[in-house]
């Protein structure tokens, strides 16, 4: 079972005190912003940095998600700009539309893949068991 957190960058400053507690316990994070709101996109860098600080890590499983792509005529953050930030932060990026249910499930699936890959890279390699007790002898008659 994988536990992850969705970090909504759209505001709710009254809950900011609880944010670091969520960051401490999360195993992976969706950094979601609205492509129709410049301010939510501008918060991504800050939240990414805060997660790394709270986790005391140089990298951690995160996925940046641009939401509301169905509102193309209201878009103020373009895909190329978001991809550039994701490359700078060294995290994957994808776009979705919650209203149209486009890529919403895929964002969570991708986050699980990112978390699993990270956890496998953190796990020390298993040492093969070469004890003589477990070796079987072969006899040819």
């Amino acid at each position: 079972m994988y536990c992850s957190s969705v970090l909504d960058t759209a505001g709710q400053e009254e809950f900011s005190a609880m944010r670091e507690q969520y960051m401490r316990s999360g195993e992976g994070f969706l950094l979601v912003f609205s492509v129709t709101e410049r301010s939510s996109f501008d918060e991504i860098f800050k939240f990414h940095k805060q997660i790394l600080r709270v986790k005391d890590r140089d990298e951690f499983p995160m996925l940046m998600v641009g939401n509301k792509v169905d509102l193309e005529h209201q878009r103020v953050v373009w895909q190329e700009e978001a991809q550039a930030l994701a490359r700078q932060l060294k995290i994957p990026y994808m776009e979705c539309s919650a209203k149209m249910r486009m890529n919403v499930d895929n964002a969570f699936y991708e986050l699980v893949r990112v978390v699993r890959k990270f956890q496998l890279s953190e796990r020390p390699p298993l040492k093969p068991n070469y004890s003589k007790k477990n070796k079987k002898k072969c006899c040819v008659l």
Side-chain angles (χ1 to χ4, degrees), residues 21-59:
Q21 181 58 38
Y22 292 132
M23 288 177 182
R24 272 190 269 294
S25 61
E27 293 179 50
F29 298 91
L30 288 176
L31 301 177
V32 181
F33 71 93
S34 171
V35 299
T36 63
E37 296 176 29
R38 171 64 57 182
S39 60
S40 69
F41 176 72
D42 292 341
E43 297 288 310
I44 295 289
F45 184 83
K46 179 182 88 171
F47 287 128
H48 180 268
K49 186 175 175 180
Q50 186 179 17
I51 289 167
L52 295 179
R53 180 183 54 76
V54 167
K55 292 293 193 178
D56 193 24
R57 303 296 305 246
D58 292 330
E59 60 181 31

Side-chain angles (χ1 to χ4, degrees), residues 2 4-7 28-33 61-69 91-98 101-116:
Y2 289 94
S4 59
S5 298
V6 177
L7 184 55
F29 298 91
L30 288 176
L31 301 177
V32 181
F33 71 93
M62 293 181 232
L63 174 67
M64 191 169 102
V65 179
N67 188 30
K68 297 188 181 181
V69 296
I91 60 175
Y93 173 69
M94 66 187 314
E95 295 191 331
C96 71
S97 167
R101 293 285 301 159
M102 182 186 90
N103 272 344
V104 174
D105 292 340
N106 289 340
F108 286 95
Y109 296 145
E110 181 61 22
L111 180 62
V112 169
R113 284 189 283 273
V114 170
V115 168
R116 285 180 176 170

